[in-house]
């Protein structure tokens, strides 16, 4: 069901076409400058009076080479003042005031282009191009004097109304009625970026973050590669996969939960260092730090270990902070996080003891279960030692680790792909980088003993038999690759989304994903014309009910007969309905009362 504004915009589209104006032209658009380029060029030439607002009296000045500029963008505001008008245009870089004068837009006797097209057929949200020159108003507002304009796209849906009011005390613009509902923002990101242009800056910084990492790794001579997303065996992490079916091969496939096992195959094949920016998929819940589809960079380097990798991650993330934020210190909520090296380092057992006062290093499964349950952690029979230790750490330690911290030396049960510790029995050479209370990186001295690896996989199978849905599957081809020999290798997975949240000070992963996964959109129920006719409403009165936003028979039944009767009288006049006014008894019959 179209709203009144949507109907009106479609009528304007049709009117433009009747006038011979294509509201969706195909030709290339000439653009000489962005708005930011113009503002930067005149940054020291304007003394804008923030109290002045729009001012029709013009202070012309010679602005060569800006005596002819061409801009393109979206109209975000109008101030129509008879034979001269102001508008506001927004492009990808910012906003600029435009000045339209009737006799310049339509220099001959025919003023249709200004009086009808500009004043009556353009709306906020339409995309146009303009040509003209730069000038400043008497109040110091940098503007473009428009000599001609072209409609590039007629917008058929109205944008959310965002009001800007100048604060009389500070002189600053304050925003009211902003497009802030998260459900709408995430579902309609395109609208979010139009009316909240600062959102685009978050994704610019995310791009800088990715480029910074890519330059760091490429600069060290590592090879960027691509590995399969559709995999016959889901491996490389402890997570539930998404599954699909390949029709031609008649086989089940999984969306990858990690690309680790394929990257290590490439190390077996002879590369000294490989990395991949990977889209991974995990069939798990959604919250402010989890999305079923997420991005991480994984890289693997031969002849290195996890100690080397800790130093490398410190160096790389410090560089990322400087490239993205200009400093190693980043504000995140109420905290200032400093990525300057060196970062704090704790073993996992040291961290649990520091935040619980309990040494769990020698505990068996029963003892760990007792400690976990005493802290209110729900446990079940499928949870072995590794899962219980992980739950304890997540409950007691992670929320307290705000500054970047390395947690090292995990129990062997928690890390089926990791080399056993060189000097600490029962542990493995693994670390996680924790920051702002969440893991951002996970790294190992990679297990390259094929016999040991097979035994670890078999232990994972036993956990799966106990009901652990996140246990790893056994990958025979990966084991075969290890049997050919993989050199000592350090590997890491670094979460791009979580790091982007920190670097851009965003509270939710949905704020750093253009199009986060959403629950299905609930469609508003709308009754058909036949439904209303069956309820006794004559066809000529259906437009009136729609205009009154009565879109279902259920809404009609809930309406007050007296109010409905009065409103119908007003609508009959407004819509010029050529039908007798129904009496009160008839209206009561429509409502079923």
């Amino acid at each position: 069901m179209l709203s009144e504004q949507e109907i009106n915009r479609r009528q304007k589209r049709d009117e433009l076409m009747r006038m011979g104006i294509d509201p969706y032209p195909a030709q290339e658009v000439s653009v000489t400058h962005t708005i930011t380029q113009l503002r930067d060029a005149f940054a020291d030439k304007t003394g804008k009076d923030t109290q002045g607002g729009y001012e029709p009296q013009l202070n012309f000045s010679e602005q060569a080479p800006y005596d002819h500029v061409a801009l393109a963008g979206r109209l975000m505001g109008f101030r129509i003042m008879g034979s001269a008008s102001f508008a506001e245009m927004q492009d990808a870089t910012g906003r600029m005031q435009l000045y339209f004068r009737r006799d310049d837009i339509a220099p001959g006797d025919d003023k249709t282009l200004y009086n009808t097209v500009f004043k009556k057929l353009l709306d906020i949200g339409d995309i146009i191009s303009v040509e003209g020159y730069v000038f400043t108003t008497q109040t110091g507002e940098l503007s473009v004097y428009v000599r001609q304009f072209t409609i590039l796209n007629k917008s058929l849906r109205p944008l959310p109304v965002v009001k800007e009011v100048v604060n009389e005390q500070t002189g600053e613009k304050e925003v009211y009625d902003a497009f802030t509902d998260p459900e709408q923002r995430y579902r309609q990101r395109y609208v979010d970026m139009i009316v909240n242009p600062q959102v685009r800056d978050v994704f610019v910084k995310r791009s800088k973050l990715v480029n910074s990492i890519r330059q760091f790794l490429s600069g060290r001579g590592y090879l960027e590669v691509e590995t399969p997303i559709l995999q016959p065996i889901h491996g490389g992490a402890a997570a539930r996969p998404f599954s699909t079916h390949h029709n031609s091969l008649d086989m089940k496939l999984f969306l990858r939960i990690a690309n680790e096992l394929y990257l290590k195959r490439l190390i077996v094949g002879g590369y000294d260092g490989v990395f991949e920016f990977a889209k991974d998929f995990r069939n798990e819940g959604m919250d402010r730090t989890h999305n079923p589809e997420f991005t991480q960079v994984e890289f693997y380097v031969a002849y290195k270990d996890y100690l080397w990798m800790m130093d490398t991650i410190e160096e790389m993330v410090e560089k990322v902070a400087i490239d993205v934020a200009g400093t190693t210190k980043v504000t995140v909520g109420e905290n200032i996080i400093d990525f300057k090296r060196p970062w704090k380092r704790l073993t996992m057992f040291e961290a649990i003891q520091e935040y619980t006062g309990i040494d769990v290093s020698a505990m068996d499964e029963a003892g760990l279960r007792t400690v976990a349950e005493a802290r209110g952690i729900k446990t079940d029979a499928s949870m072995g030692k590794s899962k219980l230790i992980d739950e304890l750490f997540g409950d007691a330690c992670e929320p307290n680790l705000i500054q970047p911290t390395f947690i090292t030396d995990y129990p062997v049960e928690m890390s089926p792909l990791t080399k056993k510790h060189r000097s600490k029995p029962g542990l493995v050479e693994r670390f996680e980088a924790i920051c702002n209370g969440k893991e951002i990186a996970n790294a190992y001295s990679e297990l390259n003993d094929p016999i040991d690896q097979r035994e670890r996989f078999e232990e994972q199978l036993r956990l799966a038999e106990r009901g652990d849905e996140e246990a790893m599957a056994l990958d025979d081809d990966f084991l075969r690759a290890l049997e050919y020999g993989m050199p000592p290798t350090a590997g890491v997975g670094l979460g791009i989304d979580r790091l982007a949240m920190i670097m851009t000070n965003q509270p939710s992963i949905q704020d750093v994903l253009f199009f986060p996964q959403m629950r299905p959109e609930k469609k508003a129920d709308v009754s058909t014309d036949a439904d209303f006719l069956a309820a006794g409403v004559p066809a000529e009165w259906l437009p009136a009910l729609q205009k009154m936003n009565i879109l279902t028979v259920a809404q009609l039944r809930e309406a007050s007969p007296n109010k409905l009767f009065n409103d119908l009288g007003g609508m009959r006049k407004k819509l010029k309905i050529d039908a007798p006014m129904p009496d009160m008894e008839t209206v009561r019959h429509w409502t079923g009362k």
Side-chain angles (χ1 to χ4, degrees):
M1 187 68 66
L2 297 178
S3 68
E4 182 179 358
Q5 286 197 56
E6 289 171 314
I7 293 171
N8 182 255
R9 285 172 181 246
R10 280 163 171 76
Q11 291 171 346
K12 291 180 180 181
R13 170 189 176 276
D14 295 342
E15 179 62 25
L16 287 168
M17 289 181 168
R18 280 194 292 270
M19 295 173 67
I21 299 172
D22 183 357
Y24 308 100
Q27 69 268 21
E28 180 183 357
V29 179
S30 173
V31 176
T32 61
H33 300 81
T34 67
I35 287 171
T36 291
Q37 286 172 340
L38 292 182
R39 290 202 174 280
D40 289 346
F42 290 86
D44 59 346
K45 298 181 177 65
T46 60
K48 182 179 176 183
D49 177 3
T50 56
Q51 303 291 327
Y54 288 106
E55 173 55 61
Q57 296 179 358
L58 309 178
N59 177 26
F60 296 98
S61 56
E62 294 298 326
Q63 306 286 10
Y66 300 101
D67 54 357
H68 179 268
V69 298
L71 306 178
R74 192 180 296 272
L75 291 171
M76 299 301 290
F78 289 97
R79 185 178 178 89
I80 306 295
M81 300 183 298
S83 63
S85 301
F86 284 98
E88 188 173 35
M89 171 185 280
Q90 176 175 284
D91 70 5
T93 67
R95 290 192 179 191
M96 174 72 75
Q97 181 170 275
L98 307 177
Y99 177 71
F100 294 80
R101 186 169 173 269
R102 181 181 59 200
D103 291 342
D104 291 304
I105 297 301
D109 294 335
D110 185 356
K111 305 299 181 181
T112 302
L113 189 60
Y114 180 84
N115 289 340
T116 301
V117 176
F118 174 77
K119 291 177 67 174
K120 297 180 180 179
L121 299 182
L122 288 185
D123 292 293
I124 291 174
D126 290 352
I127 299 172
I128 68 169
S129 63
V130 300
E131 293 184 38
Y133 60 86
V134 179
F135 74 99
T136 57
T137 65
Q138 284 190 343
T139 57
E141 177 77 38
L142 190 68
S143 308
V144 170
Y145 191 114
V146 178
R147 290 293 193 181
Q148 63 183 49
F149 74 93
T150 303
I151 299 174
L152 303 179
N153 187 283
K154 180 63 189 172
S155 171
L156 300 185
R157 281 182 180 265
L159 293 172
V161 177
V162 180
K163 300 175 184 175
E164 287 189 345
V165 179
V166 175
N167 186 306
E168 295 182 358
Q169 295 181 338
T170 65
E172 299 294 325
K173 287 184 177 179
E174 296 180 352
V175 176
Y176 296 89
D177 298 332
F179 188 62
T180 57
D181 179 68
E183 173 82 9
Q184 289 181 294
R185 288 185 55 234
Y186 302 152
R187 198 179 296 281
Q188 301 179 47
R189 180 67 81 189
Y190 38 88
V191 178
D192 185 28
M193 291 187 291
I194 294 171
V195 300
N196 298 317
Q198 71 277 7
V199 171
R200 296 202 297 267
D201 295 337
V202 171
F203 294 95
V204 170
K205 289 180 178 179
R206 180 186 171 115
S207 181
K208 288 181 179 179
L209 183 157
V210 170
N211 287 334
S212 176
I213 295 173
R214 177 173 279 117
Q215 291 164 6
F216 179 90
L217 296 175
S218 296
R220 292 191 167 205
Y222 307 144
L223 181 69
E224 184 170 5
V225 299
E226 295 177 293
T227 61
I229 292 174
L230 289 174
Q231 301 179 352
I233 297 172
H234 59 283
R240 294 175 60 187
F242 289 94
S243 62
T244 186
H245 185 81
H246 192 293
N247 291 334
S248 296
L249 297 177
D250 191 23
M251 66 180 292
K252 187 176 185 179
L253 291 172
F254 301 94
L255 295 180
R256 69 181 172 200
I257 57 175
N259 51 342
E260 174 172 343
L261 302 188
Y262 284 91
L263 292 175
K264 287 197 279 195
R265 285 173 170 92
L266 299 180
I267 297 295
V268 171
Y271 292 111
D272 281 343
V274 293
F275 68 95
E276 180 177 14
F277 288 91
K279 278 286 187 184
D280 291 333
F281 307 84
R282 297 183 183 176
N283 200 349
E284 55 192 18
M286 298 185 297
D287 57 35
R288 70 178 192 86
T289 59
H290 292 88
N291 192 68
E293 175 184 351
F294 64 98
T295 304
Q296 63 176 336
V297 59
E298 290 200 33
F299 66 93
Y300 294 79
V301 183
Y303 311 111
K304 305 297 183 184
D305 65 4
Y306 81 132
L307 299 173
W308 173 90
M309 186 61 82
M310 272 191 275
D311 295 337
T312 302
I313 288 294
E314 280 181 333
E315 181 181 354
M316 184 175 76
V317 177
E318 182 184 62
K319 173 186 181 297
V320 167
I322 293 171
D323 288 348
V324 174
T327 173
T328 62
K329 294 182 178 180
V330 178
T331 299
V332 182
E334 298 178 351
N335 301 306
I336 296 178
I337 294 175
D338 193 350
F339 289 100
K340 185 175 178 58
R341 294 175 284 170
W343 299 357
K344 184 178 180 180
R345 302 184 183 190
L346 288 171
T347 70
M348 171 161 272
F349 289 145
E350 287 173 346
I352 290 174
Q353 186 163 6
E354 179 173 324
Y355 290 104
T356 68
I358 301 172
D359 181 1
V360 301
S361 60
M363 286 186 179
D364 60 12
E365 185 177 316
L368 289 166
R369 193 178 303 278
T370 300
V371 172
E373 290 175 349
R375 293 187 60 85
I377 298 172
K378 290 184 66 175
T379 68
D380 58 59
S382 72
M383 298 170 70
K385 284 183 65 175
S386 63
K387 184 74 79 172
L388 291 166
I389 291 170
D390 194 34
E391 291 290 330
L392 269 172
F393 176 77
D395 175 73
C397 307
E398 267 193 332
N400 296 301
L401 299 174
I402 303 302
Q403 296 302 321
T405 304
F406 289 119
I407 301 298
T408 69
D409 302 348
Y410 284 54
V412 67
E413 297 88 350
M414 293 183 65
S415 311
L417 298 170
T418 313
K419 191 184 288 285
K420 288 179 180 176
H421 202 285
R422 66 196 75 177
S423 62
K424 298 177 182 178
L427 303 182
V428 294
E429 296 195 346
R430 172 186 176 186
F431 74 79
E432 287 185 313
I434 312 292
C435 181
N436 199 40
K438 287 293 179 181
E439 170 210 338
I440 59 170
N442 186 23
Y444 316 144
S445 292
E446 300 294 338
L447 178 57
N448 59 349
D449 178 348
I451 303 301
D452 189 1
Q453 182 65 83
R454 181 174 292 277
E455 292 172 353
R456 306 274 197 95
F457 276 151
E458 289 171 348
E459 175 59 28
Q460 289 292 300
L461 292 179
R462 287 189 284 273
L463 289 173
E465 290 171 358
R466 293 174 55 177
D468 188 345
E469 294 179 329
E470 296 184 350
M472 289 189 192
L474 192 150
D475 189 334
D476 278 313
D477 181 69
F478 174 66
L479 290 171
R480 180 169 56 193
L482 290 186
E483 289 171 357
Y484 281 100
M486 185 176 80
T489 298
V492 68
L494 175 71
I496 297 298
D497 305 319
R498 288 186 181 177
L499 188 59
M501 287 172 59
I502 293 168
M503 293 295 177
T504 60
N505 191 19
Q506 298 300 313
S508 171
I509 193 171
Q510 285 85 2
D511 291 308
V512 297
L513 301 175
F514 274 128
F515 305 106
Q517 188 65 45
M518 303 291 291
R519 290 178 176 82
E521 187 172 8
K522 292 182 179 179
K523 298 292 185 180
D525 291 330
V526 177
S527 297
T528 65
D529 289 355
D531 294 330
F532 282 105
L533 293 174
V537 181
E540 58 267 25
W541 287 102
L542 296 183
L545 293 183
Q546 293 168 0
K547 196 77 169 178
M548 294 155 59
N549 209 31
I550 298 176
L551 305 180
T552 67
V553 173
Q555 290 175 319
L556 180 65
R557 300 299 192 203
E558 294 171 358
S560 163
N562 290 334
K563 184 177 187 305
L564 181 59
F565 179 81
N566 292 330
D567 290 345
L568 286 171
M571 282 297 171
R572 181 172 181 266
K573 184 176 181 180
K574 182 175 181 180
L575 299 179
K576 299 177 181 179
I577 296 174
D578 187 18
M581 183 68 191
D583 57 31
M584 177 61 76
E585 192 59 32
T586 299
V587 173
R588 289 184 185 278
H589 174 69
W590 295 357
T591 64
K593 296 183 174 66

